[in-house]
mmCIF file of all heavy atoms in Angstrom:
data_model
loop_
_atom_site.group_PDB
_atom_site.id
_atom_site.type_symbol
_atom_site.label_atom_id
_atom_site.label_comp_id
_atom_site.label_asym_id
_atom_site.label_seq_id
_atom_site.Cartn_x
_atom_site.Cartn_y
_atom_site.Cartn_z
ATOM 1 N N THR I 26 -4.247 10.785 8.531
ATOM 2 C CA THR I 26 -5.335 10.629 9.481
ATOM 3 C C THR I 26 -6.498 9.996 8.761
ATOM 4 O O THR I 26 -6.719 10.206 7.581
ATOM 5 C CB THR I 26 -5.791 11.990 10.048
ATOM 6 O OG1 THR I 26 -6.185 12.828 8.967
ATOM 7 C CG2 THR I 26 -4.696 12.661 10.856
ATOM 8 N N GLY I 27 -7.283 9.201 9.510
ATOM 9 C CA GLY I 27 -8.438 8.575 8.861
ATOM 10 C C GLY I 27 -8.848 7.308 9.571
ATOM 11 O O GLY I 27 -8.114 6.761 10.379
ATOM 12 N N ASN I 28 -10.046 6.837 9.258
ATOM 13 C CA ASN I 28 -10.567 5.608 9.839
ATOM 14 C C ASN I 28 -11.080 4.705 8.732
ATOM 15 O O ASN I 28 -11.740 5.144 7.810
ATOM 16 C CB ASN I 28 -11.724 5.910 10.802
ATOM 17 C CG ASN I 28 -11.261 6.688 12.001
ATOM 18 O OD1 ASN I 28 -10.375 6.251 12.709
ATOM 19 N ND2 ASN I 28 -11.864 7.847 12.233
ATOM 20 N N PHE I 29 -10.760 3.390 8.821
ATOM 21 C CA PHE I 29 -11.160 2.421 7.825
ATOM 22 C C PHE I 29 -11.663 1.172 8.529
ATOM 23 O O PHE I 29 -11.346 0.910 9.690
ATOM 24 C CB PHE I 29 -9.973 2.038 6.918
ATOM 25 C CG PHE I 29 -9.504 3.167 6.048
ATOM 26 C CD1 PHE I 29 -8.606 4.103 6.537
ATOM 27 C CD2 PHE I 29 -9.966 3.298 4.756
ATOM 28 C CE1 PHE I 29 -8.180 5.143 5.744
ATOM 29 C CE2 PHE I 29 -9.532 4.329 3.946
ATOM 30 C CZ PHE I 29 -8.637 5.249 4.439
ATOM 31 N N ASN I 30 -12.447 0.397 7.826
ATOM 32 C CA ASN I 30 -12.896 -0.887 8.352
ATOM 33 C C ASN I 30 -11.932 -1.962 7.887
ATOM 34 O O ASN I 30 -11.919 -2.360 6.739
ATOM 35 C CB ASN I 30 -14.305 -1.197 7.829
ATOM 36 C CG ASN I 30 -15.319 -0.238 8.397
ATOM 37 O OD1 ASN I 30 -15.254 0.096 9.572
ATOM 38 N ND2 ASN I 30 -16.252 0.210 7.568
ATOM 39 N N TYR I 31 -11.080 -2.422 8.785
ATOM 40 C CA TYR I 31 -10.034 -3.376 8.475
ATOM 41 C C TYR I 31 -10.221 -4.646 9.298
ATOM 42 O O TYR I 31 -10.851 -4.644 10.353
ATOM 43 C CB TYR I 31 -8.649 -2.817 8.840
ATOM 44 C CG TYR I 31 -8.146 -1.717 7.971
ATOM 45 C CD1 TYR I 31 -7.855 -0.475 8.521
ATOM 46 C CD2 TYR I 31 -7.930 -1.915 6.613
ATOM 47 C CE1 TYR I 31 -7.356 0.544 7.726
ATOM 48 C CE2 TYR I 31 -7.433 -0.901 5.817
ATOM 49 C CZ TYR I 31 -7.149 0.322 6.373
ATOM 50 O OH TYR I 31 -6.652 1.333 5.601
ATOM 51 N N LEU I 32 -9.620 -5.713 8.826
ATOM 52 C CA LEU I 32 -9.408 -6.891 9.635
ATOM 53 C C LEU I 32 -8.030 -6.758 10.260
ATOM 54 O O LEU I 32 -7.065 -6.472 9.566
ATOM 55 C CB LEU I 32 -9.469 -8.154 8.764
ATOM 56 C CG LEU I 32 -10.786 -8.415 8.052
ATOM 57 C CD1 LEU I 32 -10.640 -9.626 7.140
ATOM 58 C CD2 LEU I 32 -11.907 -8.647 9.047
ATOM 59 N N LYS I 33 -7.941 -6.957 11.571
ATOM 60 C CA LYS I 33 -6.668 -6.724 12.232
ATOM 61 C C LYS I 33 -6.270 -7.924 13.066
ATOM 62 O O LYS I 33 -7.078 -8.499 13.768
ATOM 63 C CB LYS I 33 -6.741 -5.483 13.132
ATOM 64 C CG LYS I 33 -5.405 -5.116 13.786
ATOM 65 C CD LYS I 33 -5.505 -3.811 14.526
ATOM 66 C CE LYS I 33 -4.164 -3.436 15.135
ATOM 67 N NZ LYS I 33 -4.207 -2.147 15.850
ATOM 68 N N SER I 34 -4.989 -8.302 12.971
ATOM 69 C CA SER I 34 -4.480 -9.421 13.737
ATOM 70 C C SER I 34 -2.971 -9.327 13.787
ATOM 71 O O SER I 34 -2.328 -8.889 12.828
ATOM 72 C CB SER I 34 -4.891 -10.753 13.104
ATOM 73 O OG SER I 34 -4.200 -11.822 13.695
ATOM 74 N N GLU I 35 -2.385 -9.733 14.904
ATOM 75 C CA GLU I 35 -0.935 -9.767 14.990
ATOM 76 C C GLU I 35 -0.353 -10.750 13.995
ATOM 77 O O GLU I 35 0.788 -10.608 13.557
ATOM 78 C CB GLU I 35 -0.518 -10.137 16.421
ATOM 79 C CG GLU I 35 -0.880 -9.081 17.457
ATOM 80 C CD GLU I 35 -0.441 -9.476 18.848
ATOM 81 O OE1 GLU I 35 0.133 -10.574 18.977
ATOM 82 O OE2 GLU I 35 -0.654 -8.690 19.780
ATOM 83 N N ASN I 36 -1.125 -11.741 13.613
ATOM 84 C CA ASN I 36 -0.642 -12.729 12.666
ATOM 85 C C ASN I 36 -0.415 -12.128 11.280
ATOM 86 O O ASN I 36 0.330 -12.693 10.470
ATOM 87 C CB ASN I 36 -1.634 -13.889 12.542
ATOM 88 C CG ASN I 36 -1.722 -14.693 13.826
ATOM 89 O OD1 ASN I 36 -0.763 -14.759 14.590
ATOM 90 N ND2 ASN I 36 -2.870 -15.295 14.065
ATOM 91 N N PHE I 37 -1.050 -10.984 10.979
ATOM 92 C CA PHE I 37 -0.907 -10.399 9.660
ATOM 93 C C PHE I 37 0.511 -9.884 9.419
ATOM 94 O O PHE I 37 0.958 -9.785 8.276
ATOM 95 C CB PHE I 37 -1.918 -9.271 9.448
ATOM 96 C CG PHE I 37 -3.338 -9.758 9.371
ATOM 97 C CD1 PHE I 37 -4.380 -8.968 9.804
ATOM 98 C CD2 PHE I 37 -3.634 -11.020 8.866
ATOM 99 C CE1 PHE I 37 -5.693 -9.421 9.728
ATOM 100 C CE2 PHE I 37 -4.936 -11.475 8.786
ATOM 101 C CZ PHE I 37 -5.975 -10.673 9.226
ATOM 102 N N HIS I 38 1.203 -9.511 10.498
ATOM 103 C CA HIS I 38 2.586 -9.071 10.358
ATOM 104 C C HIS I 38 3.429 -10.203 9.780
ATOM 105 O O HIS I 38 4.133 -10.033 8.775
ATOM 106 C CB HIS I 38 3.128 -8.622 11.713
ATOM 107 C CG HIS I 38 4.411 -7.856 11.624
ATOM 108 N ND1 HIS I 38 4.904 -7.111 12.654
ATOM 109 C CD2 HIS I 38 5.312 -7.727 10.622
ATOM 110 C CE1 HIS I 38 6.040 -6.547 12.289
ATOM 111 N NE2 HIS I 38 6.309 -6.914 11.057
ATOM 112 N N THR I 39 3.344 -11.363 10.398
ATOM 113 C CA THR I 39 4.086 -12.532 9.917
ATOM 114 C C THR I 39 3.628 -12.945 8.530
ATOM 115 O O THR I 39 4.433 -13.300 7.666
ATOM 116 C CB THR I 39 3.914 -13.707 10.890
ATOM 117 O OG1 THR I 39 4.402 -13.320 12.176
ATOM 118 C CG2 THR I 39 4.664 -14.937 10.407
ATOM 119 N N GLU I 40 2.322 -12.855 8.296
ATOM 120 C CA GLU I 40 1.771 -13.224 6.992
ATOM 121 C C GLU I 40 2.334 -12.328 5.897
ATOM 122 O O GLU I 40 2.722 -12.807 4.814
ATOM 123 C CB GLU I 40 0.246 -13.106 7.038
ATOM 124 C CG GLU I 40 -0.460 -13.542 5.766
ATOM 125 C CD GLU I 40 -1.967 -13.420 5.898
ATOM 126 O OE1 GLU I 40 -2.522 -13.981 6.869
ATOM 127 O OE2 GLU I 40 -2.584 -12.761 5.038
ATOM 128 N N LEU I 41 2.415 -11.019 6.168
ATOM 129 C CA LEU I 41 2.955 -10.085 5.185
ATOM 130 C C LEU I 41 4.428 -10.378 4.912
ATOM 131 O O LEU I 41 4.866 -10.397 3.754
ATOM 132 C CB LEU I 41 2.796 -8.652 5.682
ATOM 133 C CG LEU I 41 3.483 -7.576 4.831
ATOM 134 C CD1 LEU I 41 2.943 -7.571 3.407
ATOM 135 C CD2 LEU I 41 3.323 -6.206 5.472
ATOM 136 N N LEU I 42 5.189 -10.620 5.963
ATOM 137 C CA LEU I 42 6.615 -10.901 5.775
ATOM 138 C C LEU I 42 6.822 -12.145 4.928
ATOM 139 O O LEU I 42 7.727 -12.196 4.086
ATOM 140 C CB LEU I 42 7.303 -11.060 7.132
ATOM 141 C CG LEU I 42 7.256 -9.854 8.068
ATOM 142 C CD1 LEU I 42 8.132 -10.090 9.279
ATOM 143 C CD2 LEU I 42 7.672 -8.583 7.347
ATOM 144 N N ASN I 43 5.986 -13.137 5.121
ATOM 145 C CA ASN I 43 6.083 -14.354 4.316
ATOM 146 C C ASN I 43 5.769 -14.069 2.850
ATOM 147 O O ASN I 43 6.413 -14.619 1.946
ATOM 148 C CB ASN I 43 5.142 -15.432 4.854
ATOM 149 C CG ASN I 43 5.602 -15.992 6.191
ATOM 150 O OD1 ASN I 43 6.783 -15.911 6.525
ATOM 151 N ND2 ASN I 43 4.674 -16.541 6.952
ATOM 152 N N LYS I 44 4.777 -13.216 2.592
ATOM 153 C CA LYS I 44 4.426 -12.868 1.216
ATOM 154 C C LYS I 44 5.568 -12.105 0.538
ATOM 155 O O LYS I 44 5.870 -12.340 -0.645
ATOM 156 C CB LYS I 44 3.152 -12.027 1.179
ATOM 157 C CG LYS I 44 1.911 -12.753 1.647
ATOM 158 C CD LYS I 44 1.600 -13.958 0.776
ATOM 159 C CE LYS I 44 0.360 -14.679 1.254
ATOM 160 N NZ LYS I 44 0.121 -15.922 0.476
ATOM 161 N N LEU I 45 6.196 -11.197 1.272
ATOM 162 C CA LEU I 45 7.320 -10.459 0.712
ATOM 163 C C LEU I 45 8.491 -11.384 0.425
ATOM 164 O O LEU I 45 9.175 -11.241 -0.597
ATOM 165 C CB LEU I 45 7.736 -9.339 1.663
ATOM 166 C CG LEU I 45 6.712 -8.230 1.886
ATOM 167 C CD1 LEU I 45 7.218 -7.239 2.922
ATOM 168 C CD2 LEU I 45 6.382 -7.512 0.578
ATOM 169 N N GLU I 46 8.711 -12.324 1.314
ATOM 170 C CA GLU I 46 9.792 -13.288 1.112
ATOM 171 C C GLU I 46 9.553 -14.131 -0.136
ATOM 172 O O GLU I 46 10.500 -14.489 -0.848
ATOM 173 C CB GLU I 46 9.923 -14.193 2.337
ATOM 174 C CG GLU I 46 11.101 -15.151 2.264
ATOM 175 C CD GLU I 46 11.264 -15.974 3.521
ATOM 176 O OE1 GLU I 46 10.538 -15.699 4.515
ATOM 177 O OE2 GLU I 46 12.096 -16.899 3.528
ATOM 178 N N GLU I 47 8.282 -14.415 -0.422
ATOM 179 C CA GLU I 47 7.953 -15.185 -1.619
ATOM 180 C C GLU I 47 8.228 -14.395 -2.893
ATOM 181 O O GLU I 47 8.560 -14.969 -3.938
ATOM 182 C CB GLU I 47 6.477 -15.599 -1.582
ATOM 183 C CG GLU I 47 6.134 -16.617 -0.508
ATOM 184 C CD GLU I 47 4.643 -16.872 -0.420
ATOM 185 O OE1 GLU I 47 3.908 -16.394 -1.313
ATOM 186 O OE2 GLU I 47 4.210 -17.529 0.542
ATOM 187 N N ASN I 48 8.087 -13.060 -2.838
ATOM 188 C CA ASN I 48 8.244 -12.220 -4.029
ATOM 189 C C ASN I 48 9.672 -11.755 -4.265
ATOM 190 O O ASN I 48 10.048 -11.466 -5.404
ATOM 191 C CB ASN I 48 7.323 -11.003 -3.926
ATOM 192 C CG ASN I 48 5.892 -11.302 -4.308
ATOM 193 O OD1 ASN I 48 5.492 -11.106 -5.449
ATOM 194 N ND2 ASN I 48 5.110 -11.802 -3.358
ATOM 195 N N PHE I 49 10.472 -11.635 -3.218
ATOM 196 C CA PHE I 49 11.829 -11.112 -3.346
ATOM 197 C C PHE I 49 12.860 -12.228 -3.241
ATOM 198 O O PHE I 49 12.597 -13.244 -2.628
ATOM 199 C CB PHE I 49 12.099 -10.070 -2.256
ATOM 200 C CG PHE I 49 11.196 -8.862 -2.335
ATOM 201 C CD1 PHE I 49 10.832 -8.174 -1.171
ATOM 202 C CD2 PHE I 49 10.699 -8.408 -3.541
ATOM 203 C CE1 PHE I 49 10.014 -7.062 -1.232
ATOM 204 C CE2 PHE I 49 9.877 -7.303 -3.617
ATOM 205 C CZ PHE I 49 9.540 -6.625 -2.453
ATOM 206 N N PRO I 50 14.047 -12.034 -3.844
ATOM 207 C CA PRO I 50 14.495 -10.872 -4.621
ATOM 208 C C PRO I 50 13.813 -10.817 -5.986
ATOM 209 O O PRO I 50 13.429 -11.849 -6.544
ATOM 210 C CB PRO I 50 16.001 -11.106 -4.758
ATOM 211 C CG PRO I 50 16.155 -12.588 -4.683
ATOM 212 C CD PRO I 50 15.109 -13.058 -3.724
ATOM 213 N N ALA I 51 13.680 -9.597 -6.527
ATOM 214 C CA ALA I 51 12.945 -9.435 -7.776
ATOM 215 C C ALA I 51 13.445 -8.232 -8.566
ATOM 216 O O ALA I 51 13.938 -7.253 -7.990
ATOM 217 C CB ALA I 51 11.456 -9.269 -7.494
ATOM 218 N N GLU I 52 13.294 -8.326 -9.866
ATOM 219 C CA GLU I 52 13.506 -7.197 -10.770
ATOM 220 C C GLU I 52 12.137 -6.650 -11.131
ATOM 221 O O GLU I 52 11.237 -7.419 -11.500
ATOM 222 C CB GLU I 52 14.251 -7.637 -12.023
ATOM 223 C CG GLU I 52 14.511 -6.505 -13.007
ATOM 224 C CD GLU I 52 15.251 -6.985 -14.246
ATOM 225 O OE1 GLU I 52 15.105 -8.178 -14.609
ATOM 226 O OE2 GLU I 52 15.949 -6.167 -14.854
ATOM 227 N N ILE I 53 11.971 -5.329 -11.033
ATOM 228 C CA ILE I 53 10.653 -4.725 -11.169
ATOM 229 C C ILE I 53 10.707 -3.535 -12.115
ATOM 230 O O ILE I 53 11.602 -2.680 -12.012
ATOM 231 C CB ILE I 53 10.131 -4.261 -9.795
ATOM 232 C CG1 ILE I 53 9.919 -5.465 -8.862
ATOM 233 C CG2 ILE I 53 8.834 -3.463 -9.940
ATOM 234 C CD1 ILE I 53 9.602 -5.091 -7.434
ATOM 235 N N TYR I 54 9.751 -3.480 -13.029
ATOM 236 C CA TYR I 54 9.475 -2.275 -13.801
ATOM 237 C C TYR I 54 8.200 -1.664 -13.221
ATOM 238 O O TYR I 54 7.228 -2.394 -12.974
ATOM 239 C CB TYR I 54 9.287 -2.594 -15.282
ATOM 240 C CG TYR I 54 10.563 -3.013 -15.973
ATOM 241 C CD1 TYR I 54 11.018 -4.322 -15.906
ATOM 242 C CD2 TYR I 54 11.309 -2.081 -16.693
ATOM 243 C CE1 TYR I 54 12.199 -4.703 -16.539
ATOM 244 C CE2 TYR I 54 12.494 -2.454 -17.333
ATOM 245 C CZ TYR I 54 12.929 -3.763 -17.244
ATOM 246 O OH TYR I 54 14.093 -4.132 -17.871
ATOM 247 N N PHE I 55 8.196 -0.350 -13.033
ATOM 248 C CA PHE I 55 7.071 0.268 -12.330
ATOM 249 C C PHE I 55 6.689 1.595 -12.967
ATOM 250 O O PHE I 55 7.464 2.218 -13.708
ATOM 251 C CB PHE I 55 7.422 0.488 -10.853
ATOM 252 C CG PHE I 55 8.498 1.515 -10.621
ATOM 253 C CD1 PHE I 55 8.184 2.857 -10.432
ATOM 254 C CD2 PHE I 55 9.839 1.137 -10.600
ATOM 255 C CE1 PHE I 55 9.180 3.801 -10.226
ATOM 256 C CE2 PHE I 55 10.845 2.079 -10.399
ATOM 257 C CZ PHE I 55 10.514 3.406 -10.207
ATOM 258 N N SER I 56 5.477 2.023 -12.661
ATOM 259 C CA SER I 56 5.039 3.382 -12.969
ATOM 260 C C SER I 56 4.680 4.067 -11.668
ATOM 261 O O SER I 56 4.252 3.423 -10.708
ATOM 262 C CB SER I 56 3.834 3.377 -13.919
ATOM 263 O OG SER I 56 2.698 2.809 -13.299
ATOM 264 N N GLN I 57 4.868 5.372 -11.637
ATOM 265 C CA GLN I 57 4.582 6.162 -10.442
ATOM 266 C C GLN I 57 3.678 7.323 -10.804
ATOM 267 O O GLN I 57 3.889 8.005 -11.807
ATOM 268 C CB GLN I 57 5.881 6.700 -9.842
ATOM 269 C CG GLN I 57 5.668 7.667 -8.689
ATOM 270 C CD GLN I 57 6.984 8.213 -8.177
ATOM 271 O OE1 GLN I 57 7.701 7.526 -7.479
ATOM 272 N NE2 GLN I 57 7.300 9.451 -8.539
ATOM 273 N N THR I 58 2.658 7.543 -9.980
ATOM 274 C CA THR I 58 1.761 8.680 -10.142
ATOM 275 C C THR I 58 1.709 9.440 -8.831
ATOM 276 O O THR I 58 1.488 8.835 -7.771
ATOM 277 C CB THR I 58 0.347 8.233 -10.545
ATOM 278 O OG1 THR I 58 0.419 7.423 -11.715
ATOM 279 C CG2 THR I 58 -0.548 9.428 -10.806
ATOM 280 N N ASP I 59 1.906 10.753 -8.886
ATOM 281 C CA ASP I 59 1.876 11.534 -7.656
ATOM 282 C C ASP I 59 0.531 12.230 -7.497
ATOM 283 O O ASP I 59 -0.387 12.061 -8.318
ATOM 284 C CB ASP I 59 3.037 12.530 -7.601
ATOM 285 C CG ASP I 59 2.969 13.598 -8.681
ATOM 286 O OD1 ASP I 59 1.861 13.917 -9.165
ATOM 287 O OD2 ASP I 59 4.031 14.135 -9.055
ATOM 288 N N SER I 60 0.395 13.012 -6.457
ATOM 289 C CA SER I 60 -0.879 13.655 -6.134
ATOM 290 C C SER I 60 -1.296 14.689 -7.175
ATOM 291 O O SER I 60 -2.469 15.062 -7.244
ATOM 292 C CB SER I 60 -0.801 14.317 -4.752
ATOM 293 O OG SER I 60 0.246 15.276 -4.723
ATOM 294 N N LYS I 61 -0.346 15.151 -7.986
ATOM 295 C CA LYS I 61 -0.650 16.101 -9.053
ATOM 296 C C LYS I 61 -0.848 15.397 -10.388
ATOM 297 O O LYS I 61 -0.873 16.034 -11.433
ATOM 298 C CB LYS I 61 0.459 17.146 -9.158
ATOM 299 C CG LYS I 61 0.576 18.021 -7.918
ATOM 300 C CD LYS I 61 1.643 19.077 -8.092
ATOM 301 C CE LYS I 61 1.737 19.965 -6.848
ATOM 302 N NZ LYS I 61 2.780 21.009 -6.985
#
Side-chain angles (χ1 to χ4, degrees):
T26 58
N28 294 303
F29 293 85
N30 293 319
Y31 289 120
L32 299 175
K33 184 174 182 179
S34 169
E35 294 181 0
N36 293 332
F37 292 149
H38 194 165
T39 300
E40 183 179 306
L41 172 60
L42 299 188
N43 290 337
K44 295 299 180 185
L45 295 176
E46 185 176 353
E47 292 174 10
N48 280 266
F49 298 149
E52 180 180 28
I53 296 172
Y54 290 83
F55 67 90
S56 66
Q57 173 183 284
T58 305
D59 65 26
S60 58
K61 296 183 179 180

